[in-house]
Amino acid sequence: MTTSKRVQDRSTTKRVQDLEIVTEKWKIVSKVKAVMEILNEEPETIIPVRNLERHRIKINLPKPHKISDFLRKSPKLFELYKDQRGVLWCGMTKGAEDLVEEEGRLIEEHSDKVAEYVTRCLMMSVDRRLRLDKIANFRRDFGLPVDFRDKWVHRYPELFKVVKLVDEVSYLELVSWNPDWAITELEKRVLGVNESSNHQPGMLSLSFPLRFPSNYKKVYRHREKIDHFQKRSYLSPYADAKGLTAGSLEFDKRAVAIMHELLSFTLEKRLVTDHLTHFRKEFVMPQKLMRLLLKHMGIFYVSERGKRFSVFLTEAYEGQELIEKCPLVVWKEKLLSLVGYREKKKKILTFGDLSDLEDSVLIESGSEHENISMHFGREDTMVGVEDALLADNDEMNIGEFGLAGWNSEKS
């Protein structure tokens, strides 16, 4: 429990350094993945670097950071070269292209499960419908495909459908109620309930798993309040909440249950807080959602890194490690292992350099074609992310990122 109203007012004993580091690493993966998505949409999967400027918001790379510098720091993923006019181009390496194909397969395999999660979100909403553009905020968090608005939403007509109301805004609307899916993830774990054809969501009296920062020694002071909250009954996230009084004790605990359920649906058990606030009306949650997240610090942890805060489900993590990793999270960790560099940068190849290399390949049959991309000499330039986090509070430069176990390079 905490009385803090803002993340910045929180005492240092309530901060979880491990989860701050997790926030930083996934921010880096998000930027790299955004560039890969942009390249994958290009006809030849290459693009002039200057054209990437218009995608700064999607990449989330603020000025004055140079996009070309950002790309050069991941030579295992991106290739850069200058054409005859001196224009700098960017493309993906063979390894990056293989990763894109692998992710496509994993997203396809995950499709049915994420369809269940989207349906359950509709079941939790007051009107059994959600704006399509709001669901788009959860695309990466849930593991939805890039084309989910145009194609994916039409793949499950038995579950949901796209409708347009009087405001001409597209909504995703529930088609059929599935009682087996009206059981919360907490019920499944605590009560062992998985399927029940006659299940009717109603009042619950379940305690939420708690995990406090290791250096926070004042938990005992709030023990009575915590116990009282844990024993309090609340309305299931899937039950009709129109009659609840805003600000009541039952209202707040149900809001905690809603957030717990939403975070359980995500790949990394983490969401940007802005995305949660967009659903306050649809999920009947309090206006001052951040206060509620901070108040229940044993259930949730709000990271303060960057301009946009992230909220974690604390029970899902052991230190910096996600306890249960789905294949898409494992894929992201594989991508992260190829981010950054440990070597000295050399010049970017020009069109003439590429022609000379092609000629030498024809003469020397034993040379390797893969070596046409950028090459680097050995020089360790990475620092630990823990040190970088302690050094400043600005957004971390991608070249500074490095964690034990992720720095090994294949020769």
Side-chain angles (χ1 to χ4, degrees):
M1 308 287 286
T2 179
T3 57
S4 301
K5 296 179 181 180
R6 299 192 313 150
V7 178
Q8 297 91 333
D9 298 333
R10 185 174 52 189
S11 68
T12 55
T13 58
K14 296 173 184 175
R15 292 175 184 162
V16 182
Q17 190 70 7
D18 283 336
L19 294 183
E20 297 291 350
I21 293 171
V22 171
T23 301
E24 202 62 48
K25 80 176 185 181
W26 290 136
K27 277 166 55 181
I28 293 169
V29 169
S30 177
K31 289 175 171 58
V32 172
K33 197 167 178 291
V35 175
M36 293 171 70
E37 286 180 358
I38 293 167
L39 288 171
N40 199 45
E41 292 172 359
E42 293 295 315
E44 301 295 331
T45 64
I46 59 172
I47 190 174
V49 172
R50 65 189 179 194
N51 289 4
L52 287 172
E53 285 291 334
R54 67 172 70 112
H55 299 287
R56 269 191 181 272
I57 294 178
K58 180 176 181 178
I59 300 171
N60 193 22
L61 189 68
K63 293 182 177 181
H65 299 290
K66 292 184 178 180
I67 292 179
S68 58
D69 289 344
F70 175 82
L71 298 170
R72 291 179 68 183
K73 290 175 180 178
S74 291
K76 292 183 178 179
L77 297 173
F78 305 117
E79 295 177 324
L80 298 175
Y81 76 94
K82 291 181 179 178
D83 62 17
Q84 291 172 305
R85 296 173 297 173
V87 177
L88 185 63
W89 289 73
C90 172
M92 286 187 284
T93 64
K94 178 62 167 61
E97 290 175 349
D98 291 343
L99 279 174
V100 170
E101 290 183 8
E102 181 184 355
E103 185 195 24
R105 292 194 300 271
L106 293 175
I107 287 176
E108 182 62 30
E109 293 170 5
H110 185 64
S111 183
D112 290 348
K113 192 64 180 176
V114 76
E116 175 192 331
Y117 290 156
V118 170
T119 303
R120 290 169 71 177
C121 286
L122 297 174
M123 291 167 62
M124 286 192 291
S125 64
V126 174
D127 299 317
R128 309 298 184 240
R129 71 170 72 96
L130 295 170
R131 282 180 56 156
L132 207 54
D133 57 350
K134 288 188 177 183
I135 299 175
N137 292 325
F138 289 164
R139 182 177 69 81
R140 292 181 180 177
D141 303 302
F142 278 25
L144 286 161
V146 176
D147 64 350
F148 93 99
R149 285 202 227 195
D150 302 320
K151 298 179 181 179
W152 186 86
V153 290
H154 303 290
R155 288 178 56 180
Y156 299 91
E158 73 282 6
L159 300 178
F160 40 71
K161 63 181 179 181
V162 178
V163 297
K164 285 191 177 182
L165 303 184
V166 289
D167 54 6
E168 285 301 306
V169 176
S170 295
Y171 287 77
L172 198 62
E173 187 174 78
L174 183 71
V175 168
S176 60
W177 180 278
N178 187 337
D180 291 343
W181 290 352
I183 303 171
T184 65
E185 296 298 303
L186 190 60
E187 286 179 88
K188 293 176 183 178
R189 284 197 293 272
V190 176
L191 303 179
V193 179
N194 288 310
E195 294 184 4
S196 177
S197 57
N198 298 319
H199 179 75
Q200 292 294 327
M203 295 300 293
L204 297 173
S205 184
L206 299 174
S207 297
F208 293 94
L210 300 173
R211 181 166 294 183
F212 292 94
S214 58
N215 61 336
Y216 185 62
K217 307 300 182 183
K218 299 180 181 179
V219 178
Y220 68 92
R221 293 186 182 180
H222 305 289
R223 180 56 60 190
E224 186 176 343
K225 290 183 179 179
I226 293 172
D227 290 343
H228 182 67
F229 171 81
Q230 293 282 49
K231 293 175 182 177
R232 187 185 305 149
S233 297
Y234 62 97
L235 195 63
S236 167
Y238 297 99
D240 187 357
K242 290 181 180 178
L244 278 181
T245 303
S248 66
L249 298 178
E250 294 77 13
F251 180 87
D252 284 353
K253 188 164 184 180
R254 180 187 175 276
V256 169
I258 286 275
M259 290 183 285
H260 186 281
E261 190 77 346
L262 286 173
L263 287 167
S264 297
F265 294 163
T266 63
L267 302 176
E268 301 153 15
K269 315 308 175 196
R270 178 187 69 94
L271 276 173
V272 175
T273 54
D274 290 352
H275 296 169
L276 278 173
T277 57
H278 291 163
F279 291 95
R280 284 179 297 203
K281 182 179 178 181
E282 292 86 342
F283 292 143
V284 193
M285 294 195 293
Q287 287 294 317
K288 298 177 180 178
L289 195 58
M290 181 62 75
R291 289 191 186 184
L292 195 69
L293 294 171
L294 291 173
K295 181 180 179 180
H296 298 285
M297 57 175 290
I299 304 171
F300 311 110
Y301 178 74
V302 181
S303 167
E304 58 191 87
R305 293 293 299 173
K307 296 179 181 178
R308 304 176 75 186
F309 299 144
S310 296
V311 57
F312 288 84
L313 192 60
T314 57
E315 68 191 72
Y317 281 82
E318 187 66 53
Q320 298 175 28
E321 292 297 315
L322 194 60
I323 296 172
E324 295 181 7
K325 300 177 183 179
C326 74
L328 280 168
V329 172
V330 176
W331 179 89
K332 286 188 175 185
E333 291 183 341
K334 186 188 297 186
L335 176 65
L336 185 67
S337 70
L338 300 176
V339 170
Y341 65 94
R342 294 172 56 97
E343 302 154 341
K344 185 177 180 181
K345 294 180 288 187
K346 288 187 178 181
K347 70 171 184 176
I348 296 174
L349 294 179
T350 63
F351 182 83
D353 296 328
L354 291 173
S355 298
D356 293 341
L357 281 171
E358 288 174 358
D359 291 340
S360 66
V361 167
L362 292 174
I363 297 172
E364 301 176 17
S365 58
S367 61
E368 296 182 358
H369 292 63
E370 291 81 359
N371 292 336
I372 293 177
S373 60
M374 293 189 304
H375 296 275
F376 298 82
R378 290 286 173 187
E379 182 178 312
D380 192 346
T381 60
M382 296 189 72
V383 296
V385 67
E386 296 91 341
D387 295 336
L389 281 168
L390 295 172
D392 61 72
N393 198 37
D394 294 329
E395 185 151 28
M396 183 179 298
N397 186 298
I398 193 170
E400 295 175 336
F401 185 81
L403 287 175
W406 290 334
N407 292 340
S408 59
E409 305 224 5
K410 295 182 180 180
S411 57

